């Protein structure tokens, strides 16, 4: 009798990497690179949270992520609203990836992970340590420094720095 394919090994491991990405930083990209090596497919999942008054609208954030994930063939990007676990199911994802920087991230991440597990016990959350070079940066701090005239060229990809220039300094001129 012909050997049957083993469904446990042939199933693709699909993970989502959710966040606001307003805008995507080198810290996010470092995490995307490392997570993409652990799974078959990674879906960067941009929260459509206009209530938070983002600097970039969701379409712009999607486009910016698309511009910088080209080195990673198994990474794609999509936006979502509503429950993260519902979005994960839509993509057949069984894993949520989140980055942890300092210990101060832990409490919020712990709450989210346990709530997501309560909602969908079959979806696991995996935490990766942020790259040490990026462990203090966030989209928020990048925007603040840029607005106040500080350099951010080592904190975001060049395309994103250009988008920041257009949005922040373009708006001033
Ligand atoms: O990068 P951020 O802004 O810290 O990401 C937060 C995000 C998008 C992961 C979180 O706000 C989220 O999952 N929102 C979707 C709403 C949801 O599912 N809430 C229940 C779990 S707490």
């Amino acid at each position: 009798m012909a050997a049957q394919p083993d469904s446990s090994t042939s199933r693709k491991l699909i993970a989502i990497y959710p966040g606001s990405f307003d805008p995507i930083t080198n810290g996010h990209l470092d995490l995307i690179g490392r997570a993409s090596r652990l799974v078959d497919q990674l879906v960067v999942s941009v929260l459509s949270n206009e209530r938070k008054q983002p600097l970039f609208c969701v379409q712009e954030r999607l486009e910016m992520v698309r511009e910088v994930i080209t080195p990673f063939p198994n990474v794609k990007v999509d936006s979502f609203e509503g429950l993260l676990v519902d979005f994960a199911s839509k993509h057949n994802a069984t894993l949520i990836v989140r980055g942890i920087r300092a210990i101060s991230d832990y409490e919020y991440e712990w709450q989210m992970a346990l709530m997501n597990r309560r909602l969908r016990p079959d979806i696991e959350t995996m935490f990766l340590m942020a790259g040490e070079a990026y462990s203090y940066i966030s989209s928020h701090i990048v925007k603040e420094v840029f607005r106040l005239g500080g350099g951010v060229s080592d904190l975001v990809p060049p395309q994103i720095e250009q988008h920041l220039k257009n949005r922040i300094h373009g708006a001033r001129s």
Side-chain angles (χ1 to χ4, degrees):
M1 202 174 92
Q4 295 298 308
D6 177 355
S7 63
S8 64
T9 52
S10 61
R11 209 182 63 184
K12 270 187 164 185
L13 179 54
I14 302 170
I16 60 171
Y17 175 39
S20 301
F21 302 103
D22 184 42
I24 188 163
T25 67
N26 284 345
H28 293 128
L29 261 187
D30 170 67
L31 204 103
I32 288 169
R34 284 186 291 126
S36 70
R37 292 196 289 275
L38 302 175
V39 300
D40 296 302
Q41 172 137 84
L42 185 70
V43 184
V44 179
S45 312
V46 179
L47 178 66
S48 176
N49 54 346
E50 303 300 332
R51 263 189 309 155
K52 264 192 173 180
Q53 298 192 317
L55 179 62
F56 297 100
C57 74
V58 68
Q59 288 308 329
E60 292 170 324
R61 284 179 278 145
L62 276 172
E63 193 44 48
M64 285 191 282
V65 173
R66 222 169 264 132
E67 282 177 32
V68 296
I69 57 171
T70 48
F72 310 109
N74 64 336
V75 179
K76 62 179 189 174
V77 61
D78 197 0
S79 62
F80 77 103
E81 49 192 348
L83 283 178
L84 180 63
V85 288
D86 290 342
F87 176 79
S89 306
K90 189 182 122 195
H91 280 278
N92 296 317
T94 52
L95 202 59
I96 297 168
V97 176
R98 291 284 288 173
I100 293 262
R101 291 165 301 186
I103 195 76
S104 49
D105 281 343
Y106 179 79
E107 195 168 336
Y108 172 56
E109 295 298 332
W110 171 80
Q111 262 187 327
M112 278 202 300
L114 290 189
M115 179 53 77
N116 285 330
R117 187 200 281 167
R118 182 174 163 273
L119 293 167
R120 284 295 302 261
D122 52 328
I123 298 177
E124 200 60 65
T125 297
M126 178 173 79
F127 295 114
L128 294 185
M129 297 304 295
E132 56 271 33
Y134 310 112
S135 57
Y136 64 96
I137 69 164
S138 65
S139 300
H140 175 79
I141 210 163
V142 164
K143 284 183 285 192
E144 181 163 314
V145 168
F146 190 81
R147 262 197 195 103
L148 298 173
V152 296
S153 55
D154 48 347
L155 306 181
V156 293
Q159 304 96 310
I160 305 303
E161 191 182 5
Q162 189 57 49
H163 287 293
L164 281 166
K165 271 187 194 143
N166 296 345
R167 178 56 41 92
I168 293 176
H169 299 322
R172 275 190 203 154
S173 55

